[in-house]
Amino acid sequence: MRAALVDRCGQPPVVGQRPAPSPGPGQAVVRTVTAPITPLDLLCASGTSYFGEPATPYVPGVQGVGVVESSASVPAGTPVWFPTSAGMAPGDGSLAERVVVADAELVVLSGTVDEQHLAALGLSAIAAWTALLLRGGLEAGDRVLVLGSSGVVGRVALQAARLHGAGAVWGAALEPEARQDALDLGADGFVALARDDSAESLTERMCETVGEVDLVLDPLCGVPATAALGCLAPHGRLVNLGSSAGATATFSSAQLRSGSRTILGYTNNDLTAEQRSDAMTRIEEHAAAGRLAVPYEVFGLDRVGEAWTRQANGEIHGRAVVDLRD
């Protein structure tokens, strides 16, 4: 079967041949319709992630949308979303015509949302959704600041915060067009970030814009997270789920203790299959109703190297999605 293959870490995948997978007990065979290229895919294939360097060649793709061909628990022909551990553990991922997935990991879809759009939402939407609700404990009336609001995680977070009754929502990002994008998605305001921001100047600018916030969603870390910590209200929470702006942020012990403020870490890998399925089901429902959307660009499998490189270079508006249908 045709598949995208990472032959060497740090290089874009190439199209090649892979043996058709054989399921074991409790496993299903899924014919992949489409799969996104995500920051996690890029990180794993770089060989520099905390999961370690993956054995090559391997098929990347930590998630996908497809149709069940065989399963002990799901009827053949059922549309499903599925995760994989490609790049994090031995085995192939979703960027192949067929993939083996544990039956328990399959999320049955209603078929009411375009496959490419659902793939673009995928794990990034699940991360935003569950980081806000499960980890961050979002409550109606909370004031929410979304760092990195121009990315897929950030875009979903802006929309999800509104859907769940946030009292006010602000975005923050680097890109010039990100302000209007955030406002179009329902944000009350926006904080422009700059690569040369100092923690002190950004803290002052951020606090002037947002005042105090109850919840920060942080896929950036670095200087933006340091600044956002300075805007946390008493009993406020900052949930970190990435480090694209830097590996570390700093905080004042007095500030944390005086207001019982909390810094929380988040990873999708801690979710149970049931939690993942519940989040994806809700995401599909809202997307079908037009309440949740992200931009994406579709590529055929023969252009996977181009899609990979453009996603890595930040040249894709939203998410690169690979269509594996002939």
Side-chain angles (χ1 to χ4, degrees):
M1 67 174 183
R2 292 204 314 153
L5 295 172
V6 174
D7 287 325
R8 187 172 63 177
C9 287
Q11 298 296 317
V14 296
V15 179
Q17 292 292 318
R18 204 69 163 164
S22 299
Q27 293 184 320
V29 175
V30 177
R31 175 172 53 80
T32 308
V33 172
T34 188
I37 297 171
T38 69
L40 181 56
D41 292 310
L42 300 172
L43 177 62
C44 289
S46 73
T48 63
S49 79
Y50 57 80
F51 300 108
E53 185 172 327
T56 55
Y58 80 98
V59 177
V62 296
Q63 60 184 309
V65 175
V67 176
V68 172
E69 287 200 342
S70 66
S71 167
S73 60
V74 179
T78 300
V80 292
W81 174 88
F82 60 90
T84 86
S85 58
M88 296 174 278
D92 286 340
S94 59
L95 284 165
E97 291 177 322
R98 284 169 180 77
V99 61
V100 165
V101 184
D103 281 305
E105 299 282 6
L106 299 176
V107 178
V108 174
L109 302 174
S110 67
T112 56
V113 178
D114 178 83
E115 295 100 335
Q116 283 81 20
H117 189 196
L118 201 58
L121 287 161
L123 284 169
S124 294
I126 289 173
W129 195 270
T130 54
L132 282 174
L133 299 178
L134 298 185
R135 193 68 169 141
L138 175 66
E139 297 180 353
D142 276 349
R143 297 157 294 176
V144 179
L145 171 61
V146 177
L147 303 180
S149 59
S150 59
V152 174
V153 169
R155 287 170 178 272
V156 173
L158 289 175
Q159 296 168 84
R162 276 294 184 219
L163 287 170
H164 289 90
V169 184
W170 291 270
L174 282 168
E175 296 80 3
E177 68 276 9
R179 177 186 298 275
Q180 190 59 52
D181 285 349
L183 297 177
D184 290 344
L185 291 172
D188 295 282
F190 181 83
V191 180
L193 306 181
R195 296 190 188 279
D196 60 353
D197 274 329
S198 69
E200 294 78 12
S201 64
L202 181 56
T203 301
E204 182 178 354
R205 191 165 79 247
M206 191 175 282
C207 290
E208 285 178 354
T209 301
V210 307
E212 287 188 327
V213 295
D214 303 297
L215 179 58
V216 176
L217 189 79
D218 170 35
L220 302 183
C221 198
V223 169
T226 297
L229 285 166
C231 302
L232 271 185
H235 304 285
R237 298 87 65 202
L238 181 145
V239 182
N240 174 264
L241 63 164
S243 56
S244 60
T248 61
T250 59
F251 62 88
S252 159
S253 172
Q255 185 203 22
L256 286 187
R257 291 182 291 113
S258 65
S260 296
R261 298 169 176 91
T262 306
I263 301 172
L264 300 159
Y266 173 87
T267 173
N268 277 339
N269 291 337
D270 274 351
L271 297 179
T272 65
E274 183 179 4
Q275 287 172 327
R276 224 174 6 248
S277 177
D278 181 67
M280 179 51 72
T281 298
R282 299 292 175 268
I283 288 163
E284 186 189 24
E285 289 174 356
H286 286 293
R291 295 186 292 263
L292 196 59
V294 295
Y296 57 95
E297 187 173 342
V298 181
F299 298 80
L301 180 59
D302 59 332
R303 297 174 61 202
V304 67
E306 175 192 352
W308 189 277
T309 300
R310 289 184 58 199
Q311 185 75 70
N313 291 341
E315 298 170 359
I316 299 293
H317 186 51
R319 183 72 73 232
V321 175
V322 179
D323 193 305
L324 285 101
R325 290 174 288 197
D326 293 333

